[in-house]
Amino acid sequence: MPETMTDLNPPPRLLLGPGPINADPRVLRAMSMPILGQFDPVFTGYMDETMGLLRRLYQTDNKWAFLVNGTGRAGIEAILTSLIAPGDRVLVPVFGRFGHLLCEIAARSGGDVRHIEAEWGTVFTPDQLEDAIKKHRPRVVALVHGDTSTTMAQPLDEIGAICRAHEALLYVDATATLGGMEVAVDAWQLDAVSAGLQKCLSGPPGSSPITFNERVADAVNQRKHIEAGIEPGGFVAGNGPRIQSNYFDLPMLMDYWSEQRLNHHTEATSMLYAARECARIVLAEGVADCVTRHALTSTALTTGLRAMDLELFGDQAHKMAGVTGVVIPKSVDGEAVRSALLNDYGIEIGTSFGPLKGRVWRIGTMGYNCRKQNVLICLAALEATLRQQGFATKSGAAVDAALAVYRQAGQ
Ligand SMILES: Cc1ncc(COP(=O)(O)O)c(C=O)c1O
């Protein structure tokens, strides 16, 4: 039979890279439910339920919490391209690859983008951010929460108040942290936040949950233009420039996700089922318990890696819970280790980008994969692989050290 006619049969893999992760089977089951019409009252009911679940996930009372179809950067692009009008000053504090992505999207939106950089493996202090805001006087500050490229997480709890004091709107990219680290949207005064399903939310890539407050809603509504053919009678367009993207136009998405149900795209039915299930899974465990599970897993993994005499990458006080950077020992071939893990054990771990390419492995323990058994399997397989590569380490030390962490935590 020609290859294209054979059934898909992906090999079993344990996805311990920076995402995607193995989706929770409950999410895959939800995705196999029958397709409904986008204005079927049952389906619009699911849309409303999903909004409610996302509000709880984001710890917010925002009216606006919904899905943007597409991977994590779809949510980023919808927010930034709707918010940033040509010439708007935007400040992006960059501490890894995804900060550069925010610069790129803000610049494509026509923003007057200023950026400051922290060395990869570190984050910014609130004072550094405030100084930059005072200097550049941005209308929008765009900041990554957990940058998977460096495995660092920028503390956010003080940044919202600083932005408010200087009349800037704060957008946060929580693609890789929502569900795995605290993202307290209201308490931290985050104006707009986006995420992805394929990391700590245990889903497949392809849907981006976002939320934003009335400050952002007011700002984007000033640019509201509705496409001809669906415009309701008497509609008056906003004074601001038309948003350059139709697909990522927040005011039109808001009309679609609100009682008005004004037609825009056809909602990606199966991805909505997935996102709804992802949110239910986190909320059933409890956001705080999910965060604790990610933190404990991180401690067990890093303790095991250190016991193997491996060096961790970056400022460990600001490490993301769900991704761990490991300095590749000089004596080993990093890509050969990754290939052996994949081919011999079916385990995927990540390499990194830019200045860290070939210097750092990234091990993800997010969402459904954030479990004791995966930590132990990963440590055992990595130790065996490193020994094959001639890297001397005390046999069994890593797994023993990780088990001790779990024992101490009563697990
Ligand atoms: C912090 C961060 N932001 C944005 C993205 C982009 O998300 P996606 O690849 O789903 O578009 C990623 C993906 O790895 C990420 O880790």
PDB file of all heavy atoms in Angstrom, residues 18-20 70-76 97-99 101-102 144-149 171 173-177 194-199 205-208 320 323 353 362, ligand 1:
ATOM      1  N   PRO A  18      10.081  21.198  26.222  1.00  0.00           N
ATOM      2  CA  PRO A  18       9.416  22.433  26.664  1.00  0.00           C
ATOM      3  C   PRO A  18       8.004  22.588  26.100  1.00  0.00           C
ATOM      4  O   PRO A  18       7.449  23.681  26.115  1.00  0.00           O
ATOM      5  CB  PRO A  18      10.353  23.519  26.132  1.00  0.00           C
ATOM      6  CG  PRO A  18      11.030  22.892  24.963  1.00  0.00           C
ATOM      7  CD  PRO A  18      11.138  21.431  25.234  1.00  0.00           C
ATOM      8  N   GLY A  19       7.416  21.555  25.599  1.00  0.00           N
ATOM      9  CA  GLY A  19       6.065  21.559  25.060  1.00  0.00           C
ATOM     10  C   GLY A  19       6.111  21.387  23.553  1.00  0.00           C
ATOM     11  O   GLY A  19       7.048  21.874  22.916  1.00  0.00           O
ATOM     12  N   PRO A  20       5.179  20.652  22.942  1.00  0.00           N
ATOM     13  CA  PRO A  20       3.991  20.117  23.589  1.00  0.00           C
ATOM     14  C   PRO A  20       4.299  18.953  24.516  1.00  0.00           C
ATOM     15  O   PRO A  20       5.354  18.322  24.405  1.00  0.00           O
ATOM     16  CB  PRO A  20       3.155  19.618  22.406  1.00  0.00           C
ATOM     17  CG  PRO A  20       4.169  19.231  21.364  1.00  0.00           C
ATOM     18  CD  PRO A  20       5.270  20.239  21.523  1.00  0.00           C
ATOM     19  N   GLY A  70      -5.751  28.894  17.423  1.00  0.00           N
ATOM     20  CA  GLY A  70      -4.345  28.945  17.010  1.00  0.00           C
ATOM     21  C   GLY A  70      -3.474  28.610  18.219  1.00  0.00           C
ATOM     22  O   GLY A  70      -3.969  28.509  19.347  1.00  0.00           O
ATOM     23  N   THR A  71      -2.196  28.477  17.999  1.00  0.00           N
ATOM     24  CA  THR A  71      -1.301  28.110  19.100  1.00  0.00           C
ATOM     25  C   THR A  71      -1.061  29.329  19.989  1.00  0.00           C
ATOM     26  O   THR A  71      -1.674  30.382  19.791  1.00  0.00           O
ATOM     27  CB  THR A  71       0.031  27.551  18.545  1.00  0.00           C
ATOM     28  OG1 THR A  71       0.649  28.580  17.754  1.00  0.00           O
ATOM     29  CG2 THR A  71      -0.191  26.303  17.708  1.00  0.00           C
ATOM     30  N   GLY A  72      -0.159  29.198  20.947  1.00  0.00           N
ATOM     31  CA  GLY A  72       0.059  30.266  21.926  1.00  0.00           C
ATOM     32  C   GLY A  72       0.243  31.639  21.305  1.00  0.00           C
ATOM     33  O   GLY A  72      -0.291  32.639  21.787  1.00  0.00           O
ATOM     34  N   ARG A  73       0.952  31.697  20.205  1.00  0.00           N
ATOM     35  CA  ARG A  73       1.230  33.020  19.641  1.00  0.00           C
ATOM     36  C   ARG A  73      -0.004  33.647  19.000  1.00  0.00           C
ATOM     37  O   ARG A  73      -0.014  34.843  18.734  1.00  0.00           O
ATOM     38  CB  ARG A  73       2.430  32.987  18.701  1.00  0.00           C
ATOM     39  CG  ARG A  73       2.196  32.377  17.366  1.00  0.00           C
ATOM     40  CD  ARG A  73       3.474  32.418  16.545  1.00  0.00           C
ATOM     41  NE  ARG A  73       4.542  31.657  17.190  1.00  0.00           N
ATOM     42  CZ  ARG A  73       5.847  31.851  16.961  1.00  0.00           C
ATOM     43  NH1 ARG A  73       6.240  32.767  16.118  1.00  0.00           N
ATOM     44  NH2 ARG A  73       6.739  31.108  17.564  1.00  0.00           N
ATOM     45  N   ALA A  74      -1.048  32.866  18.790  1.00  0.00           N
ATOM     46  CA  ALA A  74      -2.294  33.444  18.275  1.00  0.00           C
ATOM     47  C   ALA A  74      -2.884  34.384  19.338  1.00  0.00           C
ATOM     48  O   ALA A  74      -3.349  35.480  19.020  1.00  0.00           O
ATOM     49  CB  ALA A  74      -3.285  32.345  17.911  1.00  0.00           C
ATOM     50  N   GLY A  75      -2.861  33.951  20.591  1.00  0.00           N
ATOM     51  CA  GLY A  75      -3.372  34.807  21.669  1.00  0.00           C
ATOM     52  C   GLY A  75      -2.507  36.049  21.830  1.00  0.00           C
ATOM     53  O   GLY A  75      -3.013  37.165  22.014  1.00  0.00           O
ATOM     54  N   ILE A  76      -1.178  35.853  21.733  1.00  0.00           N
ATOM     55  CA  ILE A  76      -0.258  36.989  21.837  1.00  0.00           C
ATOM     56  C   ILE A  76      -0.579  37.997  20.738  1.00  0.00           C
ATOM     57  O   ILE A  76      -0.718  39.195  20.967  1.00  0.00           O
ATOM     58  CB  ILE A  76       1.217  36.528  21.662  1.00  0.00           C
ATOM     59  CG1 ILE A  76       1.617  35.505  22.709  1.00  0.00           C
ATOM     60  CG2 ILE A  76       2.158  37.733  21.673  1.00  0.00           C
ATOM     61  CD1 ILE A  76       3.004  34.903  22.500  1.00  0.00           C
ATOM     62  N   ARG A  97      14.213  34.117  24.297  1.00  0.00           N
ATOM     63  CA  ARG A  97      13.725  34.119  22.919  1.00  0.00           C
ATOM     64  C   ARG A  97      12.310  34.677  22.794  1.00  0.00           C
ATOM     65  O   ARG A  97      11.975  35.351  21.812  1.00  0.00           O
ATOM     66  CB  ARG A  97      13.773  32.663  22.413  1.00  0.00           C
ATOM     67  CG  ARG A  97      13.314  32.494  21.007  1.00  0.00           C
ATOM     68  CD  ARG A  97      12.179  31.502  20.926  1.00  0.00           C
ATOM     69  NE  ARG A  97      11.450  31.702  19.685  1.00  0.00           N
ATOM     70  CZ  ARG A  97      10.948  30.710  18.957  1.00  0.00           C
ATOM     71  NH1 ARG A  97      11.124  29.481  19.313  1.00  0.00           N
ATOM     72  NH2 ARG A  97      10.265  30.982  17.871  1.00  0.00           N
ATOM     73  N   PHE A  98      11.459  34.382  23.782  1.00  0.00           N
ATOM     74  CA  PHE A  98      10.059  34.769  23.605  1.00  0.00           C
ATOM     75  C   PHE A  98       9.834  36.258  23.853  1.00  0.00           C
ATOM     76  O   PHE A  98       8.856  36.823  23.375  1.00  0.00           O
ATOM     77  CB  PHE A  98       9.143  33.843  24.409  1.00  0.00           C
ATOM     78  CG  PHE A  98       9.119  32.474  23.774  1.00  0.00           C
ATOM     79  CD1 PHE A  98       9.856  31.428  24.307  1.00  0.00           C
ATOM     80  CD2 PHE A  98       8.443  32.276  22.586  1.00  0.00           C
ATOM     81  CE1 PHE A  98       9.890  30.190  23.676  1.00  0.00           C
ATOM     82  CE2 PHE A  98       8.471  31.043  21.942  1.00  0.00           C
ATOM     83  CZ  PHE A  98       9.195  29.997  22.489  1.00  0.00           C
ATOM     84  N   GLY A  99      10.757  36.912  24.563  1.00  0.00           N
ATOM     85  CA  GLY A  99      10.717  38.370  24.633  1.00  0.00           C
ATOM     86  C   GLY A  99      10.958  38.948  23.247  1.00  0.00           C
ATOM     87  O   GLY A  99      10.297  39.905  22.823  1.00  0.00           O
ATOM     88  N   LEU A 101      10.174  37.506  20.543  1.00  0.00           N
ATOM     89  CA  LEU A 101       8.938  37.276  19.779  1.00  0.00           C
ATOM     90  C   LEU A 101       7.939  38.409  20.047  1.00  0.00           C
ATOM     91  O   LEU A 101       7.275  38.900  19.127  1.00  0.00           O
ATOM     92  CB  LEU A 101       8.316  35.918  20.156  1.00  0.00           C
ATOM     93  CG  LEU A 101       6.955  35.625  19.521  1.00  0.00           C
ATOM     94  CD1 LEU A 101       7.061  35.479  18.001  1.00  0.00           C
ATOM     95  CD2 LEU A 101       6.312  34.371  20.111  1.00  0.00           C
ATOM     96  N   LEU A 102       7.834  38.833  21.314  1.00  0.00           N
ATOM     97  CA  LEU A 102       6.912  39.934  21.622  1.00  0.00           C
ATOM     98  C   LEU A 102       7.346  41.208  20.893  1.00  0.00           C
ATOM     99  O   LEU A 102       6.499  41.950  20.373  1.00  0.00           O
ATOM    100  CB  LEU A 102       6.835  40.187  23.137  1.00  0.00           C
ATOM    101  CG  LEU A 102       6.365  39.023  24.022  1.00  0.00           C
ATOM    102  CD1 LEU A 102       6.133  39.511  25.454  1.00  0.00           C
ATOM    103  CD2 LEU A 102       5.097  38.386  23.479  1.00  0.00           C
ATOM    104  N   VAL A 144       7.083  38.538  29.127  1.00  0.00           N
ATOM    105  CA  VAL A 144       6.891  37.090  29.220  1.00  0.00           C
ATOM    106  C   VAL A 144       6.920  36.708  30.698  1.00  0.00           C
ATOM    107  O   VAL A 144       7.717  37.248  31.460  1.00  0.00           O
ATOM    108  CB  VAL A 144       8.013  36.346  28.457  1.00  0.00           C
ATOM    109  CG1 VAL A 144       7.887  34.840  28.635  1.00  0.00           C
ATOM    110  CG2 VAL A 144       7.984  36.707  26.971  1.00  0.00           C
ATOM    111  N   HIS A 145       6.049  35.775  31.088  1.00  0.00           N
ATOM    112  CA  HIS A 145       6.103  35.277  32.474  1.00  0.00           C
ATOM    113  C   HIS A 145       7.188  34.208  32.576  1.00  0.00           C
ATOM    114  O   HIS A 145       8.223  34.443  33.168  1.00  0.00           O
ATOM    115  CB  HIS A 145       4.714  34.730  32.884  1.00  0.00           C
ATOM    116  CG  HIS A 145       4.651  34.312  34.324  1.00  0.00           C
ATOM    117  ND1 HIS A 145       3.739  33.401  34.791  1.00  0.00           N
ATOM    118  CD2 HIS A 145       5.385  34.685  35.398  1.00  0.00           C
ATOM    119  CE1 HIS A 145       3.914  33.242  36.097  1.00  0.00           C
ATOM    120  NE2 HIS A 145       4.910  34.000  36.487  1.00  0.00           N
ATOM    121  N   GLY A 146       6.956  33.049  31.977  1.00  0.00           N
ATOM    122  CA  GLY A 146       7.987  32.008  31.986  1.00  0.00           C
ATOM    123  C   GLY A 146       8.532  31.866  30.582  1.00  0.00           C
ATOM    124  O   GLY A 146       7.794  31.503  29.664  1.00  0.00           O
ATOM    125  N   ASP A 147       9.812  32.181  30.390  1.00  0.00           N
ATOM    126  CA  ASP A 147      10.396  32.065  29.054  1.00  0.00           C
ATOM    127  C   ASP A 147      11.028  30.684  28.939  1.00  0.00           C
ATOM    128  O   ASP A 147      12.096  30.434  29.518  1.00  0.00           O
ATOM    129  CB  ASP A 147      11.415  33.189  28.788  1.00  0.00           C
ATOM    130  CG  ASP A 147      11.705  33.317  27.298  1.00  0.00           C
ATOM    131  OD1 ASP A 147      11.952  32.272  26.661  1.00  0.00           O
ATOM    132  OD2 ASP A 147      11.659  34.443  26.777  1.00  0.00           O
ATOM    133  N   THR A 148      10.378  29.804  28.193  1.00  0.00           N
ATOM    134  CA  THR A 148      10.852  28.418  28.107  1.00  0.00           C
ATOM    135  C   THR A 148      12.243  28.316  27.486  1.00  0.00           C
ATOM    136  O   THR A 148      12.921  27.323  27.679  1.00  0.00           O
ATOM    137  CB  THR A 148       9.865  27.568  27.274  1.00  0.00           C
ATOM    138  OG1 THR A 148       9.526  28.295  26.093  1.00  0.00           O
ATOM    139  CG2 THR A 148       8.607  27.241  28.052  1.00  0.00           C
ATOM    140  N   SER A 149      12.665  29.345  26.739  1.00  0.00           N
ATOM    141  CA  SER A 149      13.983  29.252  26.097  1.00  0.00           C
ATOM    142  C   SER A 149      15.104  29.288  27.122  1.00  0.00           C
ATOM    143  O   SER A 149      16.161  28.695  26.916  1.00  0.00           O
ATOM    144  CB  SER A 149      14.164  30.374  25.072  1.00  0.00           C
ATOM    145  OG  SER A 149      14.292  31.630  25.716  1.00  0.00           O
ATOM    146  N   TYR A 171       0.704  43.726  29.319  1.00  0.00           N
ATOM    147  CA  TYR A 171       0.339  42.429  28.722  1.00  0.00           C
ATOM    148  C   TYR A 171       1.366  41.392  29.182  1.00  0.00           C
ATOM    149  O   TYR A 171       2.579  41.652  29.173  1.00  0.00           O
ATOM    150  CB  TYR A 171       0.351  42.499  27.181  1.00  0.00           C
ATOM    151  CG  TYR A 171       0.513  41.109  26.601  1.00  0.00           C
ATOM    152  CD1 TYR A 171      -0.537  40.197  26.677  1.00  0.00           C
ATOM    153  CD2 TYR A 171       1.735  40.674  26.092  1.00  0.00           C
ATOM    154  CE1 TYR A 171      -0.376  38.880  26.237  1.00  0.00           C
ATOM    155  CE2 TYR A 171       1.904  39.370  25.650  1.00  0.00           C
ATOM    156  CZ  TYR A 171       0.847  38.482  25.730  1.00  0.00           C
ATOM    157  OH  TYR A 171       1.018  37.186  25.318  1.00  0.00           O
ATOM    158  N   ASP A 173       2.663  37.274  28.696  1.00  0.00           N
ATOM    159  CA  ASP A 173       2.640  35.992  27.980  1.00  0.00           C
ATOM    160  C   ASP A 173       2.816  34.872  29.006  1.00  0.00           C
ATOM    161  O   ASP A 173       3.924  34.642  29.494  1.00  0.00           O
ATOM    162  CB  ASP A 173       3.776  35.977  26.940  1.00  0.00           C
ATOM    163  CG  ASP A 173       3.979  34.598  26.320  1.00  0.00           C
ATOM    164  OD1 ASP A 173       3.172  33.687  26.590  1.00  0.00           O
ATOM    165  OD2 ASP A 173       4.960  34.437  25.566  1.00  0.00           O
ATOM    166  N   ALA A 174       1.696  34.210  29.329  1.00  0.00           N
ATOM    167  CA  ALA A 174       1.748  33.105  30.299  1.00  0.00           C
ATOM    168  C   ALA A 174       1.561  31.767  29.583  1.00  0.00           C
ATOM    169  O   ALA A 174       1.040  30.808  30.158  1.00  0.00           O
ATOM    170  CB  ALA A 174       0.676  33.312  31.364  1.00  0.00           C
ATOM    171  N   THR A 175       2.005  31.718  28.328  1.00  0.00           N
ATOM    172  CA  THR A 175       1.830  30.497  27.527  1.00  0.00           C
ATOM    173  C   THR A 175       2.290  29.256  28.270  1.00  0.00           C
ATOM    174  O   THR A 175       1.641  28.208  28.218  1.00  0.00           O
ATOM    175  CB  THR A 175       2.645  30.614  26.206  1.00  0.00           C
ATOM    176  OG1 THR A 175       2.222  31.775  25.505  1.00  0.00           O
ATOM    177  CG2 THR A 175       2.460  29.397  25.320  1.00  0.00           C
ATOM    178  N   ALA A 176       3.418  29.367  28.951  1.00  0.00           N
ATOM    179  CA  ALA A 176       4.040  28.173  29.510  1.00  0.00           C
ATOM    180  C   ALA A 176       3.891  28.084  31.030  1.00  0.00           C
ATOM    181  O   ALA A 176       4.487  27.202  31.642  1.00  0.00           O
ATOM    182  CB  ALA A 176       5.522  28.154  29.136  1.00  0.00           C
ATOM    183  N   THR A 177       3.114  28.974  31.612  1.00  0.00           N
ATOM    184  CA  THR A 177       3.011  28.947  33.081  1.00  0.00           C
ATOM    185  C   THR A 177       1.591  28.748  33.596  1.00  0.00           C
ATOM    186  O   THR A 177       1.420  28.227  34.700  1.00  0.00           O
ATOM    187  CB  THR A 177       3.591  30.242  33.696  1.00  0.00           C
ATOM    188  OG1 THR A 177       3.058  31.369  33.000  1.00  0.00           O
ATOM    189  CG2 THR A 177       5.105  30.253  33.611  1.00  0.00           C
ATOM    190  N   SER A 194      -2.211  35.986  27.972  1.00  0.00           N
ATOM    191  CA  SER A 194      -2.570  34.884  27.067  1.00  0.00           C
ATOM    192  C   SER A 194      -1.788  33.637  27.456  1.00  0.00           C
ATOM    193  O   SER A 194      -0.757  33.717  28.127  1.00  0.00           O
ATOM    194  CB  SER A 194      -2.262  35.262  25.614  1.00  0.00           C
ATOM    195  OG  SER A 194      -0.870  35.372  25.421  1.00  0.00           O
ATOM    196  N   ALA A 195      -2.307  32.486  27.025  1.00  0.00           N
ATOM    197  CA  ALA A 195      -1.660  31.211  27.354  1.00  0.00           C
ATOM    198  C   ALA A 195      -1.793  30.256  26.176  1.00  0.00           C
ATOM    199  O   ALA A 195      -2.295  30.623  25.103  1.00  0.00           O
ATOM    200  CB  ALA A 195      -2.296  30.620  28.611  1.00  0.00           C
ATOM    201  N   GLY A 196      -1.315  29.038  26.371  1.00  0.00           N
ATOM    202  CA  GLY A 196      -1.446  27.985  25.352  1.00  0.00           C
ATOM    203  C   GLY A 196      -1.904  26.722  26.053  1.00  0.00           C
ATOM    204  O   GLY A 196      -1.744  26.601  27.273  1.00  0.00           O
ATOM    205  N   LEU A 197      -2.458  25.786  25.300  1.00  0.00           N
ATOM    206  CA  LEU A 197      -2.955  24.565  25.952  1.00  0.00           C
ATOM    207  C   LEU A 197      -1.873  23.526  26.175  1.00  0.00           C
ATOM    208  O   LEU A 197      -1.999  22.677  27.048  1.00  0.00           O
ATOM    209  CB  LEU A 197      -4.045  23.894  25.077  1.00  0.00           C
ATOM    210  CG  LEU A 197      -5.411  24.531  24.930  1.00  0.00           C
ATOM    211  CD1 LEU A 197      -6.396  23.499  24.396  1.00  0.00           C
ATOM    212  CD2 LEU A 197      -5.915  25.129  26.221  1.00  0.00           C
ATOM    213  N   GLN A 198      -0.813  23.589  25.345  1.00  0.00           N
ATOM    214  CA  GLN A 198       0.069  22.421  25.216  1.00  0.00           C
ATOM    215  C   GLN A 198       1.193  22.350  26.243  1.00  0.00           C
ATOM    216  O   GLN A 198       2.166  21.624  26.053  1.00  0.00           O
ATOM    217  CB  GLN A 198       0.661  22.375  23.805  1.00  0.00           C
ATOM    218  CG  GLN A 198       1.794  23.343  23.523  1.00  0.00           C
ATOM    219  CD  GLN A 198       1.338  24.715  23.040  1.00  0.00           C
ATOM    220  OE1 GLN A 198       0.218  25.112  23.303  1.00  0.00           O
ATOM    221  NE2 GLN A 198       2.197  25.429  22.346  1.00  0.00           N
ATOM    222  N   LYS A 199       1.047  23.129  27.317  1.00  0.00           N
ATOM    223  CA  LYS A 199       2.113  23.107  28.341  1.00  0.00           C
ATOM    224  C   LYS A 199       1.461  22.656  29.650  1.00  0.00           C
ATOM    225  O   LYS A 199       1.088  21.503  29.768  1.00  0.00           O
ATOM    226  CB  LYS A 199       2.740  24.483  28.463  1.00  0.00           C
ATOM    227  CG  LYS A 199       3.046  25.124  27.103  1.00  0.00           C
ATOM    228  CD  LYS A 199       4.479  25.190  26.768  1.00  0.00           C
ATOM    229  CE  LYS A 199       4.687  26.003  25.504  1.00  0.00           C
ATOM    230  NZ  LYS A 199       5.980  25.756  24.912  1.00  0.00           N
ATOM    231  N   PRO A 205      -1.556  21.487  21.206  1.00  0.00           N
ATOM    232  CA  PRO A 205      -1.443  22.866  20.724  1.00  0.00           C
ATOM    233  C   PRO A 205      -2.625  23.205  19.821  1.00  0.00           C
ATOM    234  O   PRO A 205      -3.157  22.313  19.148  1.00  0.00           O
ATOM    235  CB  PRO A 205      -0.135  22.857  19.915  1.00  0.00           C
ATOM    236  CG  PRO A 205       0.291  21.452  19.766  1.00  0.00           C
ATOM    237  CD  PRO A 205      -0.529  20.588  20.663  1.00  0.00           C
ATOM    238  N   GLY A 206      -3.047  24.463  19.815  1.00  0.00           N
ATOM    239  CA  GLY A 206      -4.090  24.839  18.856  1.00  0.00           C
ATOM    240  C   GLY A 206      -5.179  25.722  19.414  1.00  0.00           C
ATOM    241  O   GLY A 206      -6.126  26.042  18.699  1.00  0.00           O
ATOM    242  N   SER A 207      -5.069  26.113  20.681  1.00  0.00           N
ATOM    243  CA  SER A 207      -6.055  27.041  21.224  1.00  0.00           C
ATOM    244  C   SER A 207      -5.350  27.891  22.271  1.00  0.00           C
ATOM    245  O   SER A 207      -4.529  27.390  23.029  1.00  0.00           O
ATOM    246  CB  SER A 207      -7.204  26.270  21.873  1.00  0.00           C
ATOM    247  OG  SER A 207      -8.156  27.181  22.386  1.00  0.00           O
ATOM    248  N   SER A 208      -5.683  29.173  22.278  1.00  0.00           N
ATOM    249  CA  SER A 208      -5.002  30.082  23.205  1.00  0.00           C
ATOM    250  C   SER A 208      -6.018  30.797  24.090  1.00  0.00           C
ATOM    251  O   SER A 208      -6.742  31.670  23.616  1.00  0.00           O
ATOM    252  CB  SER A 208      -4.178  31.094  22.398  1.00  0.00           C
ATOM    253  OG  SER A 208      -3.567  32.032  23.261  1.00  0.00           O
ATOM    254  N   MET A 320      11.495  28.567  36.214  1.00  0.00           N
ATOM    255  CA  MET A 320      10.108  28.154  35.981  1.00  0.00           C
ATOM    256  C   MET A 320       9.879  26.806  36.652  1.00  0.00           C
ATOM    257  O   MET A 320      10.783  25.961  36.664  1.00  0.00           O
ATOM    258  CB  MET A 320       9.852  27.926  34.488  1.00  0.00           C
ATOM    259  CG  MET A 320       9.892  29.139  33.634  1.00  0.00           C
ATOM    260  SD  MET A 320       9.761  28.663  31.887  1.00  0.00           S
ATOM    261  CE  MET A 320       8.068  28.062  31.806  1.00  0.00           C
ATOM    262  N   VAL A 323       9.746  23.802  33.604  1.00  0.00           N
ATOM    263  CA  VAL A 323      10.858  23.508  32.680  1.00  0.00           C
ATOM    264  C   VAL A 323      12.177  23.732  33.413  1.00  0.00           C
ATOM    265  O   VAL A 323      12.325  24.715  34.147  1.00  0.00           O
ATOM    266  CB  VAL A 323      10.821  24.389  31.402  1.00  0.00           C
ATOM    267  CG1 VAL A 323      11.793  23.862  30.350  1.00  0.00           C
ATOM    268  CG2 VAL A 323       9.428  24.466  30.813  1.00  0.00           C
ATOM    269  N   PHE A 353      17.734  27.594  22.142  1.00  0.00           N
ATOM    270  CA  PHE A 353      17.871  28.469  20.976  1.00  0.00           C
ATOM    271  C   PHE A 353      19.026  29.449  21.156  1.00  0.00           C
ATOM    272  O   PHE A 353      19.497  29.681  22.264  1.00  0.00           O
ATOM    273  CB  PHE A 353      16.610  29.329  20.800  1.00  0.00           C
ATOM    274  CG  PHE A 353      15.333  28.571  20.785  1.00  0.00           C
ATOM    275  CD1 PHE A 353      14.478  28.609  21.874  1.00  0.00           C
ATOM    276  CD2 PHE A 353      14.965  27.836  19.667  1.00  0.00           C
ATOM    277  CE1 PHE A 353      13.273  27.926  21.853  1.00  0.00           C
ATOM    278  CE2 PHE A 353      13.767  27.152  19.639  1.00  0.00           C
ATOM    279  CZ  PHE A 353      12.922  27.199  20.734  1.00  0.00           C
ATOM    280  N   ARG A 362      16.693  21.229  27.824  1.00  0.00           N
ATOM    281  CA  ARG A 362      15.523  21.685  28.591  1.00  0.00           C
ATOM    282  C   ARG A 362      14.602  20.494  28.843  1.00  0.00           C
ATOM    283  O   ARG A 362      14.192  19.806  27.903  1.00  0.00           O
ATOM    284  CB  ARG A 362      14.791  22.786  27.833  1.00  0.00           C
ATOM    285  CG  ARG A 362      15.630  24.067  27.742  1.00  0.00           C
ATOM    286  CD  ARG A 362      14.929  25.113  26.918  1.00  0.00           C
ATOM    287  NE  ARG A 362      14.652  24.647  25.576  1.00  0.00           N
ATOM    288  CZ  ARG A 362      13.675  25.116  24.817  1.00  0.00           C
ATOM    289  NH1 ARG A 362      12.874  26.056  25.264  1.00  0.00           N
ATOM    290  NH2 ARG A 362      13.502  24.651  23.586  1.00  0.00           N
TER     291      ARG A 362
HETATM  292  C1  LIG B   1       6.799  31.525  26.626  1.00  0.00           C
HETATM  293  C2  LIG B   1       6.255  31.160  25.294  1.00  0.00           C
HETATM  294  N1  LIG B   1       5.597  32.087  24.583  1.00  0.00           N
HETATM  295  C3  LIG B   1       5.083  31.818  23.383  1.00  0.00           C
HETATM  296  C4  LIG B   1       5.215  30.586  22.818  1.00  0.00           C
HETATM  297  C5  LIG B   1       4.661  30.351  21.452  1.00  0.00           C
HETATM  298  O1  LIG B   1       3.630  29.445  21.531  1.00  0.00           O
HETATM  299  P1  LIG B   1       3.185  28.565  20.289  1.00  0.00           P
HETATM  300  O2  LIG B   1       4.366  27.791  19.848  1.00  0.00           O
HETATM  301  O3  LIG B   1       2.097  27.712  20.893  1.00  0.00           O
HETATM  302  O4  LIG B   1       2.654  29.484  19.266  1.00  0.00           O
HETATM  303  C6  LIG B   1       5.903  29.574  23.510  1.00  0.00           C
HETATM  304  C7  LIG B   1       6.092  28.238  22.921  1.00  0.00           C
HETATM  305  O5  LIG B   1       6.945  27.480  23.275  1.00  0.00           O
HETATM  306  C8  LIG B   1       6.427  29.880  24.788  1.00  0.00           C
HETATM  307  O6  LIG B   1       7.077  28.960  25.495  1.00  0.00           O
END
